[in-house]
Amino acid sequence: MRSAIVGMNRRALLASLTLLPMPAVLRTASALAQDAASPLASWNDGPAKRSIVDFVHTTTDPSSAKFVAPAERVATFDQDGTLWVEHPIYTQVVYCLDRVPAAVAMKPGLKNVEPFKTVLAGDREAIAKLSLKDLEEILAATLSGMSVEEFEAETRKWIETAKHPRWKRLYTDLTYQPMLEVLQYLRANGYKTYIVTGGGQDFVRVYSEKIYGIPPEQVVGTAGGTKYGYDKNGRPFLTKEPKLLLNDNNAGKPEGIHLEIGRRPLAAFGNSTGDRQMLEYTGAGDGARLMMLVLHDDAQREYAYGPAQGLPGTKVGAFTQALYDEARKDGWTVISMKRDWKRIFAFD
Amino acid sequence: MRSAIVGMNRRALLASLTLLPMPAVLRTASALAQDAASPLASWNDGPAKRSIVDFVHTTTDPSSAKFVAPAERVATFDQDGTLWVEHPIYTQVVYCLDRVPAAVAMKPGLKNVEPFKTVLAGDREAIAKLSLKDLEEILAATLSGMSVEEFEAETRKWIETAKHPRWKRLYTDLTYQPMLEVLQYLRANGYKTYIVTGGGQDFVRVYSEKIYGIPPEQVVGTAGGTKYGYDKNGRPFLTKEPKLLLNDNNAGKPEGIHLEIGRRPLAAFGNSTGDRQMLEYTGAGDGARLMMLVLHDDAQREYAYGPAQGLPGTKVGAFTQALYDEARKDGWTVISMKRDWKRIFAFD
């Protein structure tokens, strides 16, 4: 589980747990109805939208020289910062912190042991200062040791109630409407859409079908081992183990894609250096390719962060200058949330 | 890669590399045309065929109390001995032995080192006496160290030319026609069919779509790690590593299903103790379930082996008495190749 927190700036990540709410932009019913007719209704016209539409036409028009058979149409999407809000802290880390009391109840010995003591005390400033090793320990304790079914039930309960501090809405409401439209548009054109996330595979699978229309078998993520065993009635079950099988960040993304999909994607979407290798690997294939990076440059409607925004102190995912340069060199398209998206969320 | 040979009786496995050919049973064109109308045309009427048809009706009829939504219809199939011939030796082991000269050419230092020396000498009796450790070394040397694309190209070349010693036919011709019909029948009823094999995931993916209609992303198998890197032109590629990620045998089958599918199967098909946990895990779910085991009891048309056949000396996959007992106790259906299958191969 260590990977879920690799590359995070903990200080920044944990520093601000409450943010001011912003008023939702009210839209008229007729404007929404008009949008619904277009497959990418929440996108402004521009190079980003055009690159998506062109790519789909080029790969699905049977008369195109770059036509791709439906079976080979694979598109992969990072989750945090690409499909939903990752600021000020990854949703799954919030989940793990919230799970600490339950984990301690199972193993009371942890109660007076750091870092659990600090988390239980609820001192946000102290929590923000936890070391990477501390956070790894918390993730291991809260994401393993129970059956797969128990984990799923607990996660489901949490994700259906926990709310983001800024919008006071469910985390699952904070998916980016324009990206949901890309997922739908690709699927409507025969693409299989996959999530390829540094987050926990089992965590994301709990809600991916409902929120993204992506079934569990199309979620690749950081994954721990499981262990087969029997309960006292002889009924078999799988226990989640702390052993890390796949760190689905950086080079782990193409490795995870090979392991669980076995096909090179034709299109890949990300937002940080953790997605770099996935985009490189996608771009290294023959024929038409689409590589896109979401740039968080909209401080008003969402957030503006990352060194490419001149705001290194607030980074969560890191959209570095080097990533910007590679994108330009390799023909990847940068999506400006501010310029390219008419609205960010479905409730806007 | 060790898992591909776990549980094999090496002596038996490697002892007989040639067997007498048997004449194909000639069938009239009209009989074949008649069969084509029925979804399980190569099955004799009886409890095995009936259990498949009943299961499909029960889970797909919207008025059934045990109806299952299409998204949840998952069926898993072992490969060796369940979908194609595994006797006298797993096809992938033949491939690895055939690959030894090429592996040695890449690393000439291996030429005079055992077990490579023995394999290169071509002495079948000596090869049959190789230890488990020797075979693991051969598998590691022949299944790793090249790029994913090189491995795929080599495997494809081999599988399109190598022939089984008894039938003098491509290995891919030696799939069981009745099982191909089960795959098609399930898919026609909204099931997603998966291979869950102790064999190498990358190996089986090369031909699974063409032979079984199962795309690479629906093949779960024994899997090694890969390593992301760049060639001298800066183009990224994945190298196959000798590190074992998933031993997809025994308890590894439900663990692999959880890792790569994330849903419990409704139906599972196997033929040996290596499939036991997959069938148990499948059977432990709620609602209608189908667990089936192929019994190799047809010495004339295929083979008869396994302790349940009173022939421990010729076992490859082990259909033990204990497995038989568990099948009876848990309501798993045993498929008698002799009694239940009208024909074994498409060319019969």
Side-chain angles (χ1 to χ4, degrees), chain A residues 201 205 228 230 258-259 280, chain B residues 201 205 228 230 259 280:
Chain A
Q201 182 166 282
R205 280 175 170 173
Y228 186 83
Y230 304 89
H258 178 70
L259 177 67
E280 289 173 350
Chain B
Q201 182 166 282
R205 280 174 171 174
Y228 186 82
Y230 304 89
L259 177 67
E280 288 173 350

Side-chain angles (χ1 to χ4, degrees), chain B residues 280-311:
Chain B
E280 288 173 350
Y281 182 65
T282 301
D286 297 329
R289 301 279 150 172
L290 179 65
M291 285 69 68
M292 301 192 88
L293 287 167
V294 175
L295 177 67
H296 294 261
D297 59 356
D298 195 329
Q300 209 200 334
R301 295 189 300 171
E302 202 239 12
Y303 298 102
Y305 58 89
Q309 284 301 99
L311 294 167

Side-chain angles (χ1 to χ4, degrees), chain B residues 100-326:
Chain B
V100 165
V104 170
M106 299 269 289
K107 291 181 198 165
L110 296 177
K111 197 176 162 183
N112 295 308
V113 175
E114 291 298 355
F116 303 97
K117 198 176 158 186
T118 293
V119 177
L120 288 171
D123 178 346
R124 282 177 184 179
E125 230 167 290
I127 292 172
K129 284 177 188 156
L130 291 175
S131 72
L132 189 66
K133 195 176 147 291
D134 288 335
L135 285 176
E136 285 176 13
E137 227 174 293
I138 291 167
L139 267 64
T142 52
L143 297 178
S144 64
M146 73 285 281
S147 77
V148 159
E149 283 79 12
E150 284 165 354
F151 175 80
E152 191 188 321
E154 284 301 327
T155 302
R156 192 177 302 281
K157 208 164 66 184
W158 186 86
I159 202 80
E160 286 175 357
T161 52
K163 293 188 175 173
H164 191 281
R166 172 168 162 184
W167 287 276
K168 317 287 185 209
R169 285 179 176 270
L170 297 178
Y171 288 97
T172 48
D173 287 342
L174 300 177
T175 50
Y176 304 135
Q177 177 62 23
M179 294 306 289
L180 296 179
E181 293 168 6
V182 173
L183 288 170
Q184 285 157 2
Y185 179 53
L186 286 169
R187 287 197 293 261
N189 284 281
Y191 275 85
K192 243 183 178 170
T193 54
Y194 286 83
I195 289 174
V196 178
T197 175
Q201 182 166 282
D202 285 348
F203 184 82
V204 178
R205 280 174 171 174
V206 170
Y207 55 83
S208 62
E209 189 148 33
K210 191 170 167 195
I211 307 308
Y212 302 119
I214 294 179
E217 63 269 27
Q218 285 166 226
V219 175
V220 179
T222 294
T226 56
K227 193 173 174 184
Y228 186 82
Y230 304 89
D231 69 15
K232 59 180 193 283
N233 301 316
R235 187 178 175 277
F237 71 102
L238 294 170
T239 303
K240 284 174 69 70
E241 299 275 286
K243 181 188 161 200
L244 180 68
L245 279 188
L246 174 65
N247 177 346
D248 200 44
N249 283 293
N250 306 307
K253 292 211 173 194
E255 291 163 9
I257 288 169
H258 179 69
L259 177 67
E260 299 194 32
I261 308 176
R263 295 188 196 265
R264 189 193 299 265
L266 292 165
F269 297 76
N271 79 306
S272 81
T273 51
D275 305 309
R276 185 169 67 85
Q277 288 88 341
M278 175 167 76
L279 270 65
E280 288 173 350
Y281 182 65
T282 301
D286 297 329
R289 301 279 150 172
L290 179 65
M291 285 69 68
M292 301 192 88
L293 287 167
V294 175
L295 177 67
H296 294 261
D297 59 356
D298 195 329
Q300 209 200 334
R301 295 189 300 171
E302 202 239 12
Y303 298 102
Y305 58 89
Q309 284 301 99
L311 294 167
T314 58
K315 75 167 172 150
V316 178
F319 197 132
T320 61
Q321 188 58 47
L323 188 65
Y324 224 148
D325 294 344
E326 185 165 353

Side-chain angles (χ1 to χ4, degrees), chain B residues 26-77:
Chain B
L26 295 174
R27 315 186 77 229
T28 66
S30 70
L32 283 170
Q34 197 184 352
D35 285 355
S38 159
L40 297 173
S42 300
W43 290 74
N44 288 314
D45 289 328
K49 179 176 178 177
R50 204 158 49 239
S51 71
I52 300 168
V53 173
D54 287 351
F55 168 79
V56 167
H57 286 171
T58 302
T59 56
T60 61
D61 176 353
S63 71
S64 160
K66 292 182 173 173
F67 174 79
V68 175
E72 288 165 26
R73 294 180 196 161
V74 167
T76 56
F77 293 79

